[in-house]
Amino acid sequence: MAAKIKSGGAGNQVEANSDINVTPFVDIMLVLLIIFMVAAPLASVSVPVELPIAVAKAAPNPPKPVYISIQNDGDVFVGDFPTSVGALGEDLQKQIGSRNPADERIFIRGDQNTRYGDFMQVMNALQDNGFYSVALVGEDQATN
C-alpha cells in the first residue's frame, strides 16, 4: 500500500494513498492485444474449399492442428502451402517437427466435389508415412 506524507505546522502526518495506478494494467492489455492480433491470422487456413455439411458434434482441437486441404481439382495443400501426394509425408514431417507422427491427428478439409480417388491417394500417403489418426472437417449445419 502506498502512503503520502503531509507536512504541516504540527509535524509530518502519514496518510494512506487510495489512488489506483492503472498504467501497468493498460500496458499489459495493450501487449496482449498486439500478441492476439498477430497470432490470430496464423491460426487459420486460407485455402478456399467448399466444405460439405457435418452433423456430428464438434471435437476439441489439438494445441496446433495440422490441416490438409484437397480442392475439387485435386490440388493438395498442407496448411496454406501447396504440395503433391508424393511429397505429402515429407511436408507433414516438416510441419510437425520432432513430434511422433503416430500421435498426431491430421485434419483433412476436402471440397465436396473432390474425386474419391484423389481423397484415397491422400489417405494412402498419410498411412504410408505413419500418420494413422485422421479427422475429416465439415461445415457445421446452420440451426434455426
Side-chain angles (χ1 to χ4, degrees):
M1 176 190 273
K4 55 184 172 181
I5 300 175
K6 280 187 169 182
S7 59
N12 293 337
Q13 296 177 346
V14 177
E15 181 180 313
N17 184 2
S18 62
D19 295 337
I20 297 174
N21 187 1
V22 296
T23 304
F25 176 73
V26 171
D27 290 344
I28 291 172
M29 289 297 114
L30 288 175
V31 168
L32 287 175
L33 176 66
I34 292 170
I35 289 171
F36 287 128
M37 287 173 57
V38 170
L42 299 176
S44 64
V45 180
S46 62
V47 177
V49 173
E50 195 173 322
L51 295 173
I53 302 297
V55 293
K57 293 183 182 176
N61 288 338
K64 184 178 179 190
V66 179
Y67 289 97
I68 295 177
S69 300
I70 308 170
Q71 291 183 323
N72 62 353
D73 59 358
D75 291 340
V76 180
F77 294 80
V78 174
D80 290 332
F81 305 104
T83 188
S84 65
V85 175
L88 186 60
E90 183 179 318
D91 290 342
L92 282 173
Q93 287 291 346
K94 288 179 189 174
Q95 185 82 16
I96 67 167
S98 63
R99 297 181 294 200
N100 184 7
D103 296 336
E104 289 296 317
R105 174 172 286 170
I106 307 298
F107 291 86
I108 298 179
R109 302 173 64 243
D111 192 277
Q112 65 183 355
N113 297 319
T114 300
R115 287 187 23 218
Y116 183 71
D118 295 337
F119 179 78
M120 286 308 297
Q121 285 179 343
V122 170
M123 292 291 289
N124 290 335
L126 289 173
Q127 285 186 341
D128 291 345
N129 289 285
F131 294 94
Y132 300 112
S133 181
V134 175
L136 304 178
V137 178
E139 192 168 339
D140 289 336
Q141 184 175 6
T143 57
N144 293 339

